[in-house]
C-alpha cells in the first residue's frame, strides 16, 4: 500500500490517542477509566486500543470534513454538562460517578424513609445508565474507527494495523486487554477485524471488560467519597520490566575508528593527539552495548531486541559490499541470503523495537520537563500539564509551499514541509538499511558555540546526546558537530565548501544572525552545503526565506521552533520541586533574579583518583555575556532539535512498515535510494536566488579610514575596490574546497593547511621538533560526571533512557593498527599569469612556523578530547574554538601548498599580515633566509633541545594570545558596538615585499600593492585573491614568501580556498 502523504506526520501530540505508551501497543477499550488514582497504562508488549471521540448529531463533521482526534482527558471533558449521546462515553461515566456520590451521600444522610426510597431508585437508574452507555461505547468507537482521519495518512484509512505509528501522548484512562499481554507485535489482525466489522476474540474481551467497568462504579464512588484511592489492577501495574540479557560482545568492533589521514612522520603520534586521532568506535549492527542494570530500565524499559532466528544469534549477518556503489545504494536484489534487510521475521521485531525506542525517547524528553510519563511506574498528568505538554514542542507540517497563510500560521512551532518530511524519511531509512552515518552539523557564532558553558552543554551537542544512542541501536553511526566559532560568522568556513564541516552532513543548521546580517550569508552557507558535499542535507534555518530552497531545488527545510519552557520557578525553596532540567529556566515575574543567579551552571574540574592537574582550575568556563545563553536554554533548545529528528524517525519507521506490509522485505529501492535524489537537489541548487547576486553587490567592501594603522602607506583613504579585487559572486554557485587551521574542523588533520603543505628538503612539513598536534593529553577520557551536567538519580535524564552503548572508553591502552596514508602528488598543469619573473624552481624553506593552537583531537563532537594539556585552567570546559595559522617572515623562505583538483579557476586565501614577528617560533636569531643554510637542522643536539623547549613555550603563549583575540572579537558581537575592527591592518611598522607564485610564475607586491588587493568580505575576514579565471583547471602549486623585511614583521595564512 502507498505510504502516508497527508498533512501532518503522526506527531507526539497525538500520541496516547493511538497508543498506550511509549513502546507503542494500543489500548483495548474505547472507554476511559475513572477509578481513583489514574495510573498510566503499562504498554510494554501489551495491546491497547486508542480512545476516539464518539460523534453524535451535534458535532458530527460535515461531509468530507476531518474528524477530530482527542486526547483522552480532552475527550473526558466534552459533554460533561449533559448526558446527551454526543458526549464522550468516558465523560458520561464520570458524570454517573459524580451523581452516584451525590445520591449515595444524600441516601446515607436522610432519615426520611420515603426520600431514601426515591434516592435508591435514582441511584439504581444511574447505575443502569452507566451500564447502558458502556455497552454502547463499543459500537460508537468501532463506528468512528471506520472513518477516522489519521494524521500522516491520506484519505480515511483504517486506524489499527495500517499506518498508525504507536506514539505516546499521555497514559490516562486506558485499559489493558483482558488484563494480560498480547504477543509482541502491536496492533494485530484482531483489531483489524473489529474495524472491518467482523467478530473477533478481542471483541468478546471488550464486552466483558465493559461489564466489569460498570460493576466497579458504585465501589469506586464510595471509595472516592471516603477519600480512599483504590489500587491499580495487577494487570495495569506490572511488578517489573522483564530483562532479557543478550550477549552483545560478539557483535562489537575491537578497534577504534581509524583516522582517514596521517601526516608523514606521525606514525607514533599518541592516541588523543590531533595526529593520532580520538577515541571512537564504529557502529555496524543493531546489538550495541545495553546497560540493563541502569536505574532507568525499571521505569522506562530498554531496547529489547534479539535476532529471532536462533542460528544467527551471536553472529553478524552477511551484508553486500556497500562501498562499491555510489552512496551505498545497492539494489535490493543484491542483499545476500541471510541478510537482515530481507528477513521478514527479523524486520518485524526490529521495526517494532525501533518504534518503541523512539517513542520512549520522545516521552523521556517530555518527562524531563514534567510533562511526560514513564511506561512503568510513571505518574499521571493533570489537565494543566496536558496543556503545557501540547505547548512544549508544537509541530506543524506545511502541505502547500506556496501558501503564505499556511506559513504564517505555523507561528513559532516546529515545522517542516511534507516534501521535507518525506525527504528526511528517505535519508533515515537509507542510513538504517545500509548501516551508514547520520551527521547533524551546526555553524554559527559564539552563542551557538556555547561560550559561557562547557562545550558539551551547547545545544547541538545536547541534541546529539539524545540522538546518538537511539541511532546506535538502529545500526547508524550518528554524530552532532558544533563548528560555531566565537566572534565570527560562517562565511570563513563556507568559503571552503564542506571540507571543514564534513561532506556527509545530513542536517545542517545556521545560527549566525547576530554576526552576519542579511540573507546573502545564510544562502551562501546553505548553498555550499547543498552543492559541495556528498549529500544534500536537510536545512534547519530561518523561516519563510527558506522557501526558495524547496520551491526551486527541492531541498528539505524546517525549523525546530520554540514553546513552553517548563514550570515556573518561584523561589529557591520551591525550585527543589521543579524538574531538574526546568529548574531556574522560567522564573515568575518579579523573581527573575533567581533565574539570573543560576543562569550558568557548569564547572572546570571534578577530582579524580588517577590525575590531579598542576594548573589551578577555574570555577566555571569563561565567556559569560548578556547575549550568551546559559546551559538550561542550550539544553531545552537541543531537546527540541532532537524531537525534530525523532519525529522524523517515527514517521520513517512507520512508513517502512507500511510499505513492506504487503510486499515484504527488503524495501523496494525507489523508497530508500538517495543518489539520484541528492543529485537532483544539487543540480538545481545554483538556481536558488539570494546569494550575492551580480546585480546586487559583489563579495567585498571598501576599506575604511579608521581600520588603518597610522603608519600604513596605502592609497587614498576610502578607495573603491577595483573590479579585479572583488571576490566573484559565482562562488555562490560552484562547489568550493579549502583547508584551514581554524577550528573545530571535521577530520582535523586532513582538513588542516598542514595536509597540503609541501615538505622542506629534509622531508618535514613542520620543522618544529615538538608541534602541538603531536601532544598527548595529560589524562585519559572520560571526564567524571559533574553535578552541573548529570541530574540527581530521582530526576529524569533522557540520555540514559535512550542509552544504547558506551560513549566512554574502558580501555585506553589498546593498540591502534594503522597504516600511513601516502598522498600521491600528481603533476601540476602549467598556466600563464602576467608576472614580473619567469618560471622558477621553488623550494620550500626551513623557517615555516605552524601555529597549530589547541592540542588534541578537536573535531567538533562530544567524542573529542580537546585542549587537555598543561597550562589549561578549565580542562573540562572542552572548548574547541581555535585560530591556528601558517606563518613566515623575511627569513623563513618559501611556503608552498599543493592545491588539487581546481575545476573553476579560483584560488584565494584569508591572510593576517598584522601579526608581530616576535611570535615566530622557528626563526629566532636568524638574520638571513633559511638561516644561511638548513635552518635549525645544522644546530647541535643541545641547541636543538633548547630550541624545542622554546617552541613549546611559544606554542602555549600563542594559545593564550589566541584566546584573548577570540574574547575581544566576541565583545564586538555586542549589538551596542560597531563591528569595524578585526585585524584588517596591512602590516606592522616597516616595509616588506610579498611574493607569491602559481606553478612557478612569481608576482611581487610592495606593501602598498598588497594593501591595494587586501579585501574585506565580512568582519575579520580579510582576503587576497590569487586566481580568478574559469578557464584554468587542474592541480596547482601555490607559493608565498616575504622579503625585504626584518623579523619585526610576518605574514600568516589561516585559510586557503579554491574551486
Amino acid at each position: 500500500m502507498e505510504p502516508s502523504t497527508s498533512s501532518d506526520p503522526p506527531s507526539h501530540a497525538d500520541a496516547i490517542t493511538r497508543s498506550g505508551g511509549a513502546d507503542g501497543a494500543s489500548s483495548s477499550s474505547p472507554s476511559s477509566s475513572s477509578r481513583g488514582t489514574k495510573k498510566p497504562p503499562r504498554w510494554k508488549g501489551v495491546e491497547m486500543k486508542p480512545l476516539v471521540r464518539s460523534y453524535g448529531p451535534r458535532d458530527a463533521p460535515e461531509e468530507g470534513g476531518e474528524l477530530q482526534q482527542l486526547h483522552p482527558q480532552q475527550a473526558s471533558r466534552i459533554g460533561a454538562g449533559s448526558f446527551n449521546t454526543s458526549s464522550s462515553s468516558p465523560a458520561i461515566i464520570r458524570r454517573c460517578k459524580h451523581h452516584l456520590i451525590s445520591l449515595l451521600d444524600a441516601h446515607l444522610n436522610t432519615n426520611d424513609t420515603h426520600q431514601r426510597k426515591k434516592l435508591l431508585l435514582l441511584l439504581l437508574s444511574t447505575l443502569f445508565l452507566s451500564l447502558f452507555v458502556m455497552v454502547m461505547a463499543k459500537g460508537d468507537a468501532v463506528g468512528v474507527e471506520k472513518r477516522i482521519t489519521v494524521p500522516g495518512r491520506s484519505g480515511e484509512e483504517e486506524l489499527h494495523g495500517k499506518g498508525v505509528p504507536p506514539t505516546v501522548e499521555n497514559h490516562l484512562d486506558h485499559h489493558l486487554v483482558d488484563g494480560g499481554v498480547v504477543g509482541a507485535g502491536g496492533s494485530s489482525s484482531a483489531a483489524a477485524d473489529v474495524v472491518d466489522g467482523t467478530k473477533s476474540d478481542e471483541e468478546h474481551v471488550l464486552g466483558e471488560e465493559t461489564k466489569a467497568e460498570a460493576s466497579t462504579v458504585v465501589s469506586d464512588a464510595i471509595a472516592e467519597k471516603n477519600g480512599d484511592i483504590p489500587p491499580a489492577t495487577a494487570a495495569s501495574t506490572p511488578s517489573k520490566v522483564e530483562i532479557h540479557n543478550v550477549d552483545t560482545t560478539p557483535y562489537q568492533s575491537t578497534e577504534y575508528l581509524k583516522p582517514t589521514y596521517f601526516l608523514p612522520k606521525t606514525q607514533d603520534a599518541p592516541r588523543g593527539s590531533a595526529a593520532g586521532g580520538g577515541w571512537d568506535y564504529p557502529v555496524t549492527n543493531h546489538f550495541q552495548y545495553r546497560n540493563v542494570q541502569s536505574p532507568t530500565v525499571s521505569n522506562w524499559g530498554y531496547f529489547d531486541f534479539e535476532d529471532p532466528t536462533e542460528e544467527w544469534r551471536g553472529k553478524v549477518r552477511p551484508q553486500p559490499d556497500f562501498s562499491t556503489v555510489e552512496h551505498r545504494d545497492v539494489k535490493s536484489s543484491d542483499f545476500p541470503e541471510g541478510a537482515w534487510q530481507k528477513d521478514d521475521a527479523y524486520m518485524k521485531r526490529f521495526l517494532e523495537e525501533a518504534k518503541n525506542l523512539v517513542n520512549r525517547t520522545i516521552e523521556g524528553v517530555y518527562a524531563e520537563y514534567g510533562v511526560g510519563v514513564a511506561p512503568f511506574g510513571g505518574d499521571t498528568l493533570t489537565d494543566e500539564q496536558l496543556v503545557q505538554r501540547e505547548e512544549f514542542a508544537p509541530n506543524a507540517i506545511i502541505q502547500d509551499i506556496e501558501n503564505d497563510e499556511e506559513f504564517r500560521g505555523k507561528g513559532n512551532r516546529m515545522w517542516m514541509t511534507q516534501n521535507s518530511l518525506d525527504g528526511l524519511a528517505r535519508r533515515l531509512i537509507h542510513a538504517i538499511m545500509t548501516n551508514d552515518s547520520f551527521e547533524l552539523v551546526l555553524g554559527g557564532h559564539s552563542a551557538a558555540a556555547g561560550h559561557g558553558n562547557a562545550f558539551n552543554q551547547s545545544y547541538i551537542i545536547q541534541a546529539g546526546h539524545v540522538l546518538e544512542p537511539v541511532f546506535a541501536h538502529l545500526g547508524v553511526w550518528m554524530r552532532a558537530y558544533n563548528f560555531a566559532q566565537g566572534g565570527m560568522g560562517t562565511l570563513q568556513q563556507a568559503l571552503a565548501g564542506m571540507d571543514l564541516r564534513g561532506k556527509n552532513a545530513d542536517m545542517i543548521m545556521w545560527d549566525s544572525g547576530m554576526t552576519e546580517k542579511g540573507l546573502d550569508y545564510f544562502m551562501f552557507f546553505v548553498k555550499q552545503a547543498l552543492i559541495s558535499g556528498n549529500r544534500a542535507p536537510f536545512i534547519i534555518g530561518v523561516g519563510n526565506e527558506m522557501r526558495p530552497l524547496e520551491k526551486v531545488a527541492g531541498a528539505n527545510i524546517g525549523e525546530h521552533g520554540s514553546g513552553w519552557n517548563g514550570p515556573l520557578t518561584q523561589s529557591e525553596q520551591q525550585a527543589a520541586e521543579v524538574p531538574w532540567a526546568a529548574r531556574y529556566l522560567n522564573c515568575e515575574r518579579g523573581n527573575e533574579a533567581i533565574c539570573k543567579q543560576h543562569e550558568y551552571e557548569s564547572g572546570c574540574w571534578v577530582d579524580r583518583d588517577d590525575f590531579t592537574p598542576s594548573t589551578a582550575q577555574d570555577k566555571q568556563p569563561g565567556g559569560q555575556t548578556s547575549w550568551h545563553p546559559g546551559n538550561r536554554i542550550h539544553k531545552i533548545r537541543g531537546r527540541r532539535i532532537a524531537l525534530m529528528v525523532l519525529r522524523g524517525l517515527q514517521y520513517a519507521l512507520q512508513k517502512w512498515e507500511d510499505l513492506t506490509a504487503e510486499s515484504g522485505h527488503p524495501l523496494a529501492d525507489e523508497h530508500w535510494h538517495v543518489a539520484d535524489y541528492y543529485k537532483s537537489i544539487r543540480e538545481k541548487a545554483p538556481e536558488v536566488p539570494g546569494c550575492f547576486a551580480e546585480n546586487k553587490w559583489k563579495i567585498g567592501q571598501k576599506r575604511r579610514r579608521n581600520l588603518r594603522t597610522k603608519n600604513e602607506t596605502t592609497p587614498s583613504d576610502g578607495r573603491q575596490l577595483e573590479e579585479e579585487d572583488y571576490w566573484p559572486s559565482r562562488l555562490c554557485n560552484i562547489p568550493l574546497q579549502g583547508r584551514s587551521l581554524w577550528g573545530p574542523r571535521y577530520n582535523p588533520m586532513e582538513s588542516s593547511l598542514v595536509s597540503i603543505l609541501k615538505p622542506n628538503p629534509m622531508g618535514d612539513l613542520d620543522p618544529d621538533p615538538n608541534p602541538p598536534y603531536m601532544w598527548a593529553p595529560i589524562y585519559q577520557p572520560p571526564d567524571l560526571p559533574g553535578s552541573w551536567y548529570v541530574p540527581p538519580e530521582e530526576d529524569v535524564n533522557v540520555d540514559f533512557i535512550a542509552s544504547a552503548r558506551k560513549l566512554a572508553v574502558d580501555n585506553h591502552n589498546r593498540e591502534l593498527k594503522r597504516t600511513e596514508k601516502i598522498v600521491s602528488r600528481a603533476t601540476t598543469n602549467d598556466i600563464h599569469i602576467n608576472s614580473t619573473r619567469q618560471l622558477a624552481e621553488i623550494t620550500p624553506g626551513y623557517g615555516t612556523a605552524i601555529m597549530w593552537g589547541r592540542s588534541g583531537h578537536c573535531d567538533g563532537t562530544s567524542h573529542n578530547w580537546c585542549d587537555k594539556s598543561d597550562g589549561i585552567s578549565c580542562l573540562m570546559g572542552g572548548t574547541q574554538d581555535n585560530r591556528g595559522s601558517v606563518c613566515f617572515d623575511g627569513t623563513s623562505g618559501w611556503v608552498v601548498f599543493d592545491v588539487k583538483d581546481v575545476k573553476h579557476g579560483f584560488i584565494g586565501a584569508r591572510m593576517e599580515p598584522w601579526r608581530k614577528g616576535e611570535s615566530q617560533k622557528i626563526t629566532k636569531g636568524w638574520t638571513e633566509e633559511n638561516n644561511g643554510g638548513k635552518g635549525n637542522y645544522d644546530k647541535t643536539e643541545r641547541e636543538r633541545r633548547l630550541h624545542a623547549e622554546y617552541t613549546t613555550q611559544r606554542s602555549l603563549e600563542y594559545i593564550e594570545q589566541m584566546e584573548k583575540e577570540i574574547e575581544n572579537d566576541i565583545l564586538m558581537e555586542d549589538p551596542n558596538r560597531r563591528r569595524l575592527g578585526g585585524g584588517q591592518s596591512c602590516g606592522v611598522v616597516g616595509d616588506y615585499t610579498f611574493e607569491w607564485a602559481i606553478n612557478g610564475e612569481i608576482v611581487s607586491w610592495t606593501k602598498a600593492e598588497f594593501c591595494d588587493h587586501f579585501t574585506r568580505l565580512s568582519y575579520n575576514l580579510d582576503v587576497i585573491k590569487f586566481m580568478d579565471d574559469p578557464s584554468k583547471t587542474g592541480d596547482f602549486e601555490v607559493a608565498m614568501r616575504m622579503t625585504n623585511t626584518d623579523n619585526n614583521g610576518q605574514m600568516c595564512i589561516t585559510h586557503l580556498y579554491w574551486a
Side-chain angles (χ1 to χ4, degrees):
M1 63 184 296
E2 288 300 314
S4 159
T5 56
S6 76
S7 63
D8 199 353
S11 72
H12 200 63
D14 299 323
I16 224 40
T17 311
R18 298 186 299 280
S19 86
D23 286 77
S26 40
S27 161
S28 68
S29 173
S31 63
S32 299
S33 170
S34 7
R35 301 188 182 110
T37 279
K38 298 172 185 174
K39 281 284 185 182
R42 318 305 194 205
W43 66 88
K44 182 71 176 178
V46 177
E47 174 109 353
M48 294 183 174
K49 284 191 65 178
L51 177 76
V52 294
R53 180 172 175 180
S54 177
Y55 286 89
R58 181 179 61 171
D59 41 46
E62 297 179 1
E63 185 69 20
E66 288 191 355
L67 295 176
Q68 180 184 3
Q69 284 191 322
L70 303 174
H71 299 167
Q73 288 197 350
Q74 289 175 320
S76 72
R77 292 194 292 270
I78 295 176
S82 68
F83 285 118
N84 79 38
T85 56
S86 67
S87 298
S88 66
S89 300
I92 298 175
I93 295 168
R94 266 189 282 278
R95 292 293 294 176
C96 290
K97 181 184 289 188
H98 294 313
H99 278 261
L100 285 168
I101 293 173
S102 301
L103 292 170
L104 184 63
D105 183 73
H107 178 75
L108 295 176
N109 290 286
T110 182
N111 295 322
D112 188 328
T113 303
H114 180 69
Q115 185 68 15
R116 287 172 64 90
K117 289 181 179 179
K118 288 177 61 178
L119 290 170
L120 182 60
L121 288 173
L122 284 171
L123 191 150
L124 292 173
S125 299
T126 303
L127 179 60
F128 176 77
L129 177 60
S130 300
L131 178 61
F132 174 78
V133 169
M134 290 178 183
V135 171
M136 295 299 295
K138 177 177 73 67
D140 288 343
V142 170
V144 172
E145 286 168 10
K146 289 181 179 180
R147 65 185 194 281
I148 191 163
T149 299
V150 180
R153 302 202 58 76
S154 58
E156 300 179 90
E157 299 183 1
E158 298 93 326
L159 184 63
H160 291 294
K162 296 186 178 181
V164 183
T167 57
V168 176
E169 176 53 40
N170 64 67
H171 315 296
L172 307 177
D173 307 322
H174 286 273
H175 298 287
L176 301 181
V177 178
D178 199 24
V181 176
V182 176
S187 330
S188 62
S189 59
D193 287 342
V194 174
V195 173
D196 294 337
T198 58
K199 194 75 171 178
S200 69
D201 292 338
E202 186 183 17
E203 188 172 353
H204 292 296
V205 172
L206 292 175
E208 292 300 318
E209 183 165 292
T210 301
K211 297 174 184 177
E213 172 74 12
S215 70
T216 64
V217 171
V218 174
S219 60
D220 282 4
I222 294 173
E224 191 167 270
K225 177 189 183 307
N226 294 334
D228 299 330
I229 300 176
T233 63
S236 63
T237 314
S239 58
K240 63 178 181 179
V241 176
E242 186 176 356
I243 302 297
H244 301 95
N245 281 311
V246 175
D247 182 11
T248 61
T249 305
Y251 300 97
Q252 305 310 309
S253 172
T254 59
E255 292 186 343
Y256 299 109
L257 280 173
K258 297 178 177 64
T260 57
Y261 176 84
F262 296 98
L263 287 179
K265 300 187 178 183
T266 62
Q267 291 86 343
D268 298 326
R271 177 61 50 180
S273 67
W279 286 272
D280 208 351
Y281 285 108
V283 175
T284 59
N285 55 66
H286 306 137
F287 302 95
Q288 303 305 305
Y289 173 81
R290 301 171 190 173
N291 184 10
V292 296
Q293 303 303 319
S294 168
T296 63
V297 168
S298 59
N299 286 338
W300 290 90
Y302 69 105
F303 187 69
D304 187 14
F305 177 67
E306 185 175 23
D307 198 317
T309 305
E310 188 169 355
E311 66 176 287
W312 284 111
R313 290 178 185 171
K315 301 177 184 177
V316 177
R317 289 196 176 222
Q319 293 291 280
D321 186 355
F322 294 111
S323 65
T324 61
V325 184
E326 184 184 15
H327 290 291
R328 303 169 70 88
D329 277 354
V330 299
K331 296 180 180 179
S332 296
S333 58
D334 291 338
F335 287 107
E337 199 61 37
W340 60 266
Q341 292 92 336
K342 63 190 299 183
D343 187 316
D344 287 344
Y346 188 106
M347 288 303 306
K348 180 179 180 182
R349 280 289 297 126
F350 171 69
L351 288 174
E352 176 188 309
E353 277 301 314
K355 292 192 295 184
N356 292 345
L357 168 69
V358 172
N359 295 330
R360 207 164 42 235
T361 306
I362 290 174
E363 193 63 25
V365 172
Y366 279 81
E368 283 188 314
Y369 294 89
V371 290
V373 182
F376 302 93
D379 297 324
T380 59
L381 302 179
T382 65
D383 289 354
E384 180 183 13
Q385 288 173 321
L386 285 173
V387 173
Q388 291 167 344
R389 179 191 181 93
E390 293 172 7
E391 295 173 349
F392 178 76
N395 188 32
I397 301 301
I398 307 299
Q399 293 298 314
D400 184 2
I401 191 71
E402 303 283 356
N403 190 326
D404 292 339
E405 290 188 7
E406 190 172 8
F407 261 86
R408 283 195 296 269
K410 67 179 175 55
N412 292 324
R413 291 180 292 172
M414 180 186 303
W415 68 269
M416 65 181 75
T417 65
Q418 184 66 50
N419 170 71
S420 300
L421 177 62
D422 287 321
L424 179 58
R426 174 182 292 272
R427 72 180 74 235
L428 288 167
I429 294 173
H430 175 273
I432 300 171
M433 280 283 283
T434 63
N435 292 122
D436 205 352
S437 63
F438 189 89
E439 300 182 12
L440 173 62
V441 173
L442 170 69
H445 52 59
S446 59
H451 284 260
N453 309 275
F455 178 83
N456 285 348
Q457 291 177 307
S458 63
Y459 65 78
I460 204 71
I461 299 299
Q462 285 290 302
H465 284 173
V466 176
L467 296 171
E468 285 182 19
V470 174
F471 275 92
H473 276 314
L474 306 182
V476 177
W477 187 87
M478 188 273 169
R479 290 294 178 267
Y481 293 88
N482 190 344
F483 295 129
Q485 295 176 338
M488 296 297 296
T490 60
L491 186 58
Q492 77 281 354
Q493 285 180 336
L495 282 165
M498 292 300 287
D499 285 356
L500 308 182
R501 301 177 287 173
K503 288 181 175 292
N504 290 331
D506 291 280
M507 299 184 83
I508 191 165
M509 180 174 178
W510 181 84
D511 184 6
S512 196
M514 181 178 287
T515 55
E516 292 178 318
K517 307 297 183 183
L519 185 62
D520 298 274
Y521 293 101
F522 167 73
M523 278 298 182
F524 194 98
F525 177 88
V526 299
K527 289 181 77 172
Q528 281 301 315
L530 292 174
I531 66 178
S532 295
N534 297 329
R535 304 173 184 178
F538 187 113
I539 307 299
I540 305 176
V542 293
N544 293 356
E545 291 81 0
M546 291 194 293
R547 283 197 280 180
L549 291 165
E550 178 171 313
K551 291 167 64 175
V552 176
N556 302 158
I557 58 174
E559 287 185 284
H560 60 78
S562 59
W564 177 73
N565 283 342
L568 284 174
T569 298
Q570 300 169 345
S571 66
E572 291 285 0
Q573 293 74 23
Q574 178 265 350
E577 302 172 7
V578 177
W580 185 79
R583 201 171 295 168
Y584 307 114
L585 180 61
N586 187 17
C587 275
E588 190 175 44
R589 180 173 296 180
N591 286 329
E592 293 89 349
I594 299 174
C595 284
K596 191 67 177 176
Q597 181 181 351
H598 296 275
E599 183 175 7
Y600 299 97
E601 291 197 355
S602 188
C604 290
W605 188 248
V606 173
D607 289 337
R608 51 195 294 157
D609 296 332
D610 61 340
F611 175 77
T612 300
S614 58
T615 302
Q617 296 295 290
D618 297 335
K619 185 177 180 180
Q620 291 195 16
Q624 297 172 3
T625 67
S626 61
W627 60 93
H628 288 167
N631 55 290
R632 291 177 175 82
I633 294 177
H634 275 282
K635 189 183 189 77
I636 196 169
R637 190 175 187 186
R639 294 305 192 250
R640 290 189 174 114
I641 294 171
L643 284 176
M644 188 177 191
V645 179
L646 289 168
R647 285 168 171 169
L649 258 177
Q650 203 174 52
Y651 177 82
L653 292 168
Q654 188 59 52
K655 186 174 184 177
W656 194 346
E657 188 174 77
D658 291 350
L659 290 167
T660 53
E662 297 179 3
S663 61
H665 297 276
L667 182 65
D669 299 347
E670 62 265 27
H671 301 302
W672 63 274
H673 278 193
V674 295
D676 291 340
Y677 183 69
Y678 292 157
K679 181 180 179 182
S680 174
I681 295 172
R682 285 200 301 265
E683 288 178 346
K684 297 173 184 175
E687 302 171 15
V688 178
C691 177
F692 300 112
E694 288 283 1
N695 59 358
K696 183 180 178 184
W697 60 294
K698 298 179 181 180
I699 307 175
Q701 301 170 1
K702 67 181 182 180
R703 291 174 52 74
R704 298 188 180 94
R705 179 195 301 267
N706 57 357
L707 299 183
R708 304 177 185 281
T709 61
K710 62 181 180 181
N711 292 311
E712 284 182 340
T713 56
T714 59
S716 59
D717 292 332
R719 72 171 177 85
Q720 295 291 329
L721 290 172
E722 300 297 331
E723 180 73 17
E724 62 269 16
D725 294 329
Y726 285 102
W727 281 33
S729 58
R730 69 186 178 96
L731 298 184
C732 289
N733 300 319
I734 56 177
L736 288 162
Q737 302 179 69
R739 297 291 186 270
S740 176
L741 281 179
W742 280 25
R745 299 185 306 279
Y746 194 91
N747 285 343
M749 286 308 299
E750 185 174 4
S751 61
S752 74
L753 280 171
V754 183
S755 70
I756 59 173
L757 270 177
K758 190 172 182 178
N760 64 28
M762 299 297 291
D764 290 331
L765 299 175
D766 185 357
D768 187 345
N770 186 29
Y773 53 80
M774 293 289 286
W775 293 358
I778 55 177
Y779 68 101
Q780 301 293 294
D783 280 318
L784 299 182
S787 59
W788 59 87
Y789 194 80
V790 180
E793 189 170 315
E794 63 271 14
D795 280 272
V796 177
N797 186 344
V798 72
D799 299 356
F800 295 160
I801 293 170
S803 183
R805 60 195 288 263
K806 287 183 176 177
L807 299 183
V809 179
D810 291 330
N811 178 10
H812 311 301
N813 297 317
R814 186 177 298 163
E815 291 292 331
L816 176 67
K817 299 177 182 179
R818 63 183 187 179
T819 57
E820 182 180 331
K821 180 178 178 181
I822 305 300
V823 182
S824 61
R825 301 186 182 276
T827 304
T828 58
N829 297 333
D830 289 338
I831 63 167
H832 177 72
I833 296 179
N834 291 327
S835 64
T836 59
R837 306 256 298 271
Q838 296 298 313
L839 290 174
E841 181 69 27
I842 293 180
T843 301
Y846 291 100
T848 303
I850 311 300
M851 311 304 292
W852 184 266
R854 300 189 194 280
S855 65
H857 187 70
C858 308
D859 67 348
T861 73
S862 63
H863 297 260
N864 77 89
W865 201 238
C866 184
D867 212 26
K868 309 289 188 183
S869 59
D870 282 322
I872 302 303
S873 61
C874 191
L875 286 167
M876 288 180 62
T879 182
Q880 299 193 42
D881 253 350
N882 192 60
R883 295 186 182 181
S885 56
V886 175
C887 297
F888 50 96
D889 62 20
T891 63
S892 298
W894 286 100
V895 178
V896 185
F897 297 97
D898 281 327
V899 176
K900 304 293 186 183
D901 197 26
V902 175
K903 296 179 178 179
H904 301 277
F906 181 86
I907 300 175
R910 181 189 180 277
M911 308 291 290
E912 293 181 347
W914 41 266
R915 292 192 179 277
K916 293 183 179 180
E918 61 189 26
S919 64
Q920 228 282 8
K921 61 182 180 179
I922 300 299
T923 61
K924 181 183 179 183
W926 294 13
T927 57
E928 55 183 316
E929 187 169 289
N930 292 323
N931 202 21
K934 295 182 180 180
N936 295 320
Y937 291 95
D938 291 331
K939 291 185 176 181
T940 65
E941 183 177 346
R942 179 178 180 276
E943 288 174 328
R944 287 175 60 81
R945 178 172 53 81
L946 292 174
H947 183 70
E949 293 175 359
Y950 170 78
T951 58
T952 299
Q953 182 60 34
R954 298 303 297 162
S955 294
L956 292 172
E957 292 172 356
Y958 180 83
I959 295 173
E960 293 180 8
Q961 177 186 349
M962 174 192 73
E963 289 176 339
K964 291 178 182 178
E965 291 172 6
I966 293 173
E967 290 173 6
N968 290 336
D969 281 340
I970 288 173
L971 292 177
M972 296 303 296
E973 293 176 351
D974 187 341
N976 297 318
R977 296 171 180 256
R978 296 182 66 197
R979 289 175 60 80
L980 299 176
Q984 202 190 27
S985 166
C986 289
V988 295
V989 176
D991 205 353
Y992 59 81
T993 299
F994 177 73
E995 294 188 327
W996 59 277
I998 301 289
N999 284 359
E1001 290 198 34
I1002 300 173
V1003 178
S1004 294
W1005 287 341
T1006 65
K1007 178 179 178 180
E1009 289 171 326
F1010 178 90
C1011 291
D1012 277 348
H1013 293 87
F1014 199 41
T1015 304
R1016 162 146 295 199
L1017 303 188
S1018 65
Y1019 177 80
N1020 199 9
L1021 181 51
D1022 304 302
V1023 295
I1024 289 290
K1025 182 171 60 177
F1026 296 118
M1027 179 193 292
D1028 186 9
D1029 184 346
S1031 69
K1032 295 170 182 174
T1033 62
D1035 298 337
F1036 298 91
E1037 184 181 86
V1038 180
M1040 57 193 75
R1041 71 174 176 178
M1042 293 182 78
T1043 61
N1044 302 322
T1045 185
D1046 55 27
N1047 288 47
N1048 289 324
Q1050 68 172 338
M1051 184 75 69
C1052 296
I1053 175 174
T1054 65
H1055 300 71
L1056 188 60
Y1057 308 116
W1058 66 93

